[in-house]
Amino acid sequence: MIQLIQITEEKLTSNILLALKQELQQFKKDFQPQQPPTWVSRKETAKMLGVSFTTLTNWHKKGVLTAYSIGTRVYYKLDEVHNALTPIAC
């Protein structure tokens, strides 16, 4: 049990509000809102990478790309497609 001695209700309230304001300011400074993913169809992905649907399926089976589906539709996250590309040393 915490016992508060010689502090008024107003002083306690102002101390709590001050601490909350400081925490919220720090949170606002550090907060990075997340953008929803950009989804691209299998056709768009194949065209973007210059490959066939068969190649996309093989890359999915090998774990190179992650495919997502709704019913019979297949989609890829654009950022995951970009991240799958690796630089080549010349």
Side-chain angles (χ1 to χ4, degrees):
M1 181 172 154
I2 299 174
Q3 186 175 9
L4 302 174
I5 301 173
Q6 296 182 350
I7 188 167
T8 65
E9 182 180 341
E10 292 81 19
K11 183 70 174 171
L12 178 61
T13 302
S14 69
N15 286 347
I16 291 171
L17 288 174
L18 179 64
L20 279 173
K21 283 180 185 178
Q22 291 171 348
E23 287 296 320
L24 284 173
Q25 286 174 351
Q26 185 64 36
F27 178 76
K28 282 172 46 178
K29 188 168 49 170
D30 296 337
F31 180 71
Q32 297 293 327
Q34 292 184 343
Q35 296 293 328
T38 302
W39 298 98
V40 289
S41 68
R42 187 167 50 160
K43 182 177 180 180
E44 293 169 319
T45 305
K47 183 178 178 182
M48 178 178 25
L49 297 175
V51 298
S52 67
F53 290 167
T54 305
T55 301
L56 287 179
T57 302
N58 289 337
W59 285 348
H60 171 68
K61 288 179 181 178
K62 291 178 182 177
V64 176
L65 287 176
T66 303
Y68 302 86
S69 67
I70 298 176
T72 59
R73 307 288 253 157
V74 177
Y75 296 96
Y76 298 88
K77 288 183 182 178
L78 185 58
D79 62 331
E80 289 181 359
V81 173
H82 289 163
N83 291 338
L85 297 172
T86 57
I88 298 175
C90 295

